[in-house]
Amino acid sequence: MKLRISRRVSAIQPSATLAIAGLARELKAKGLPVLSFSAGEPDFPSPEGAVKAARDAMDRGETRYTANSGIPELKRAIAAYYKTRFGLEYAPSEIIVSCGAKQSLYQALQTLADMDEEVLIPNPAWVSYVEQIRLADAKDVIIDTSATGFAPTREGMEGAMSKKTAGMIINSPNNPTGVVYDRDTLEMLADIARRNDLWIIYDEIYERLVYGEAKHYNILQIAPDLRDRVIIVNGVSKAYSMTGWRIGYALGPKEAVAKMDDIQSHLNSNPSSIAQWASVGAIEQSESYVESNRREFERRRDILMELLSGVGGLRIERPDGAFYAFLDVRNTFEPDDNEFCRRILEEKFVALVPGDAFLAPGYVRMSYACSEADIREGAERIKDFLRG
Ligand SMILES: Cc1ncc(COP(=O)(O)O)c(C=O)c1O
């Protein structure tokens, strides 16, 4: 008899980003000169403060279960960070630490979204939102922003609403577009949430990676009255180059955070004790590290823009944040993004992620979280490919 898989998980698609990164690794292992621009992780070593804090924690024997929602020292560090950076006050009972922002988002959606309720997502959007909404038996409602510079508009958001709309997921700086929402956009989104009694999950995992004149705001700096309906999601993966440590966190109203904690208590109890201590070291001791990495990403972005703008029909909006460029391939000789990525990997050994994975066919995402030499060589190969 064939094993029956539940309806809930049958429709889940694996993460396309990880799949491409896996394929690129496989080709590389075979000795092929693969350049991967697919993964969403910085290439810097984790900060010394984090590594030392982890070593010290091991030496002290911090090797047992911790409090479900995270060690008090890390919650204090997160609270102090939010106070300094955004002027926001959060008590320890309003903070939960999880295994990556991904888990924080999952628990937030399980806590806020009810069966058949609708969740608005400006599109293009990070791959996991849709799958996580579906895992909560809720419904994703996708709002195309490609005609307005990848920023949502009031008409777009309101036009997608129904009686079942419960909330929205907002991600700025955005993966995959690199767009940073300006004050007006955030005010508009806050206004819609306020008038329609919606919750907001505000994913600001790339908040430290913003370039040039662009400025990142936490939505509660702009609409402090929404504090009771916003769950902020952040983590150490991107700002501190700590993807492998798996620490993310959420800040929100006590009742919601308590429920997220209940889920976590049955799921994985707590994130790794050592990784939590490492995150204390990162958050408390790495300001200059974060700033120097930010400057380096900005430099790489500028190099990439200079090398690829206007090449072979490619169109690229200059990204203001995160570490991705979102290339419009619709006017190139290979306008199908899946085909584009398959062919350029096979023919030029360049790994890019199809926009399809971000609900945005006709685009491909290129991460510039890699060395300048790789960016230069990759740009040459892309140019070569586009010659057809
Ligand atoms: C928009 C966005 N949110 C959340 C995450 C999750 O990060 P992590 O689980 O590593 O903390 C990512 C990672 O790629 C992301 O791009």
Side-chain angles (χ1 to χ4, degrees):
M1 200 179 72
K2 195 161 174 281
L3 189 64
R4 199 181 65 78
I5 304 295
S6 78
R7 258 190 302 142
R8 189 178 316 98
V9 303
S10 289
I12 299 179
Q13 298 296 316
S15 158
T17 324
L18 299 187
I20 295 263
L23 183 59
R25 256 197 304 274
E26 242 172 66
L27 293 176
K28 211 170 191 167
K30 284 188 190 151
L32 295 163
V34 173
L35 291 177
S36 185
F37 302 100
S38 61
E41 61 180 346
D43 54 324
F44 308 111
S46 301
E48 189 42 47
V51 176
K52 179 167 184 318
R55 269 199 218 105
D56 291 349
M58 279 189 278
D59 290 344
R60 284 200 310 278
E62 305 274 5
T63 51
R64 298 174 187 274
Y65 291 131
T66 72
N68 265 298
S69 59
I71 55 175
E73 291 80 358
L74 180 51
K75 289 191 182 188
R76 274 203 292 277
I78 293 166
Y81 177 81
Y82 264 76
K83 175 87 179 97
T84 311
R85 182 145 170 80
F86 299 116
L88 299 174
E89 307 249 10
Y90 278 90
S93 58
E94 298 174 306
I95 300 174
I96 177 166
V97 181
S98 301
C99 296
K102 217 175 227 182
Q103 189 186 353
S104 305
L105 285 161
Y106 179 83
Q107 291 173 167
L109 279 163
Q110 291 288 327
T111 300
L112 297 180
D114 253 323
M115 186 178 265
D116 296 331
E117 283 186 337
E118 295 177 359
V119 181
L120 307 177
I121 319 176
N123 185 51
W126 182 52
V127 277
S128 296
Y129 296 144
V130 169
E131 300 296 350
Q132 291 198 358
I133 288 169
R134 293 178 187 172
L135 282 170
D137 291 324
K139 189 167 174 293
D140 48 287
V141 176
I142 304 302
I143 296 138
D144 182 21
T145 64
S146 57
T148 49
F150 297 130
T153 60
R154 181 179 287 278
E155 300 71 51
M157 295 296 284
E158 288 182 343
M161 284 176 53
S162 80
K163 283 201 194 76
K164 291 187 173 169
T165 309
M168 57 178 95
I169 304 182
I170 301 303
N171 170 218
S172 178
N174 184 269
N175 176 11
T177 64
V179 166
V180 180
Y181 292 176
D182 62 16
R183 185 177 255 284
D184 287 350
T185 302
L186 292 173
E187 259 164 23
M188 176 274 291
L189 293 167
D191 186 56
I192 292 177
R194 188 183 293 119
R195 282 170 194 259
N196 297 283
D197 196 19
L198 306 181
W199 48 257
I200 300 177
I201 294 177
Y202 193 67
D203 178 352
E204 57 178 355
I205 188 110
Y206 296 98
E207 49 106 4
R208 299 308 303 264
L209 303 174
V210 173
Y211 316 119
E213 300 297 300
K215 180 165 166 48
H216 170 80
Y217 298 95
N218 181 291
I219 196 156
L220 292 179
Q221 291 176 293
I222 285 173
D225 62 306
L226 298 193
R227 195 181 187 284
D228 286 347
R229 57 174 77 247
V230 170
I231 293 189
I232 299 165
V233 173
N234 202 339
V236 299
S237 289
K238 317 289 177 175
Y240 304 100
S241 204
M242 289 177 68
T243 46
W245 299 82
R246 308 308 302 129
I247 296 290
Y249 55 84
L251 307 95
K254 196 164 112 191
E255 305 69 38
V257 167
K259 282 295 158 200
M260 290 167 69
D261 191 11
D262 289 346
I263 299 171
Q264 187 155 298
S265 75
H266 296 297
L267 193 62
N268 58 341
S269 297
N270 60 265
S272 148
S273 56
I274 304 303
Q276 290 189 64
W277 282 103
S279 303
V280 176
I283 293 171
E284 288 183 343
Q285 298 168 38
S286 314
E287 275 306 301
S288 59
Y289 166 98
V290 171
E291 177 53 18
S292 87
N293 290 357
R294 189 197 66 77
R295 268 192 257 116
E296 174 60 13
F297 280 132
E298 182 164 7
R299 200 179 68 82
R300 293 177 189 176
R301 175 201 67 164
D302 292 343
I303 293 170
L304 183 69
M305 288 304 294
E306 198 186 309
L307 294 174
L308 284 185
S309 293
V311 167
L314 268 191
R315 275 200 301 243
I316 321 177
E317 291 284 333
R318 198 179 60 147
D320 284 329
F323 38 66
Y324 309 106
F326 207 46
L327 320 182
D328 181 348
V329 300
R330 290 172 300 176
N331 289 320
T332 68
F333 81 98
E334 182 49 87
D336 179 309
D337 51 302
N338 282 307
E339 272 302 289
F340 190 104
C341 291
R342 187 189 60 76
R343 287 185 57 183
I344 201 166
L345 183 55
E346 283 175 8
E347 295 170 25
K348 303 289 173 198
F349 308 117
V350 169
L352 301 167
V353 185
D356 204 19
F358 306 95
L359 316 163
Y363 292 83
V364 306
R365 190 190 76 174
M366 178 172 184
S367 163
Y368 51 87
C370 55
S371 71
E372 178 182 338
D374 279 5
I375 291 172
R376 290 189 181 280
E377 171 64 22
E380 276 312 306
R381 293 192 201 176
I382 291 171
K383 278 187 203 165
D384 208 29
F385 177 71
L386 288 172
R387 281 185 206 114

